[in-house]
Amino acid sequence: MEQLRGLYPPLSAYDSGWLDTGDGHRIYWELSGNPNGKPAVFIHGGPGGGSAPYHRQLFDPQRYKVLLFDQRGCGRSKPHASLDNNTTWHLVDDLERLRVMAGVDQWLVFGGSWGSTLALAYAQTHPQRVSEMVLRGIFTLRKQELSWYYQDGASRFFPDKWERVLSILSEEERKDVIAAYRQRLTSPDLQVQLEAAKLWSVWEGETVTLLPSGASASFGEDDFALAFARIENHYFSHQGFLDSDDQLLSNVPLIRHIPAVIVHGRYDMACQVQNAWDLAKAWPEAELHIVEGAGHSTDEPGILHQLMLATDRFAAPHANPLP
């Protein structure tokens, strides 16, 4: 049996700061690895999740120059949990500002879950700036995907956990859970926001791994839950601010020349494996890995293994396009 790859050892960032977007936001960023290495950007999930130190360890520190950043309103970015001027296209523009700031002409784009959504939106807007892509837990923000996770799909596998999500809603509100939660998450009463935020956030934290994980505890912390739930619900209420339901799939021809690896867990309850299959069918040049015995999270051993193989492969000088 092939030995599964793990993360590279922990490392510190060698530079960090905040980028002023000019419209009320300050975006936290950091650089780690080799200042002269292959440029890469890591796009975290959520939206509203924030980056974490272990994300640096997905890349060989001797061969990569890695930029991590916290998207608008979350992590160390300011103002916290803000929904103002916070759309997919604001984030695409932020990525370009960060690329220019880092002095990078092209970079590998790595994104998982919502990070895969934003990675696709960015690459389709600026294909000349993307050298390769590594995508995990594909999420294209179609109505069927939102309905699956927040209405009538995943709840069938986690009825006890879903019941907690529904506990604060009336029978009428349960017909549109995303809309009902938006009312609470944008309430002028902070306690109303927090109650809803924790329920929304913990639902995701407890369903993104195949087996229960202690990592889900952080999803219930006030600061994390507030940014995560408010921003995620804001984006989902507006279907990601996309122009059409299948925009990210229909625009794949713009990026088919970019070497790409797609990694998805077979038993991903947050984002069904059908999403990855649909993306791969539209993008036959990309390499698809459906990982057996895995859920949604990067922490799933089989998923992490494939991600590490992908970043190692693309670190090679003048990496060849995948077959």
Side-chain angles (χ1 to χ4, degrees), residues 97-113:
R97 291 189 186 97
L98 291 166
R99 181 190 62 77
V100 172
M101 179 208 71
V104 169
D105 183 58
Q106 271 194 331
W107 51 6
L108 178 148
V109 176
F110 185 123
S113 192

Side-chain angles (χ1 to χ4, degrees), residues 168 181 184 190-200:
I168 60 171
Y181 264 79
R184 288 165 170 77
L190 180 59
Q191 291 309 309
V192 172
Q193 288 188 35
L194 275 171
E195 179 187 37
K198 289 182 179 182
L199 290 170
W200 177 285

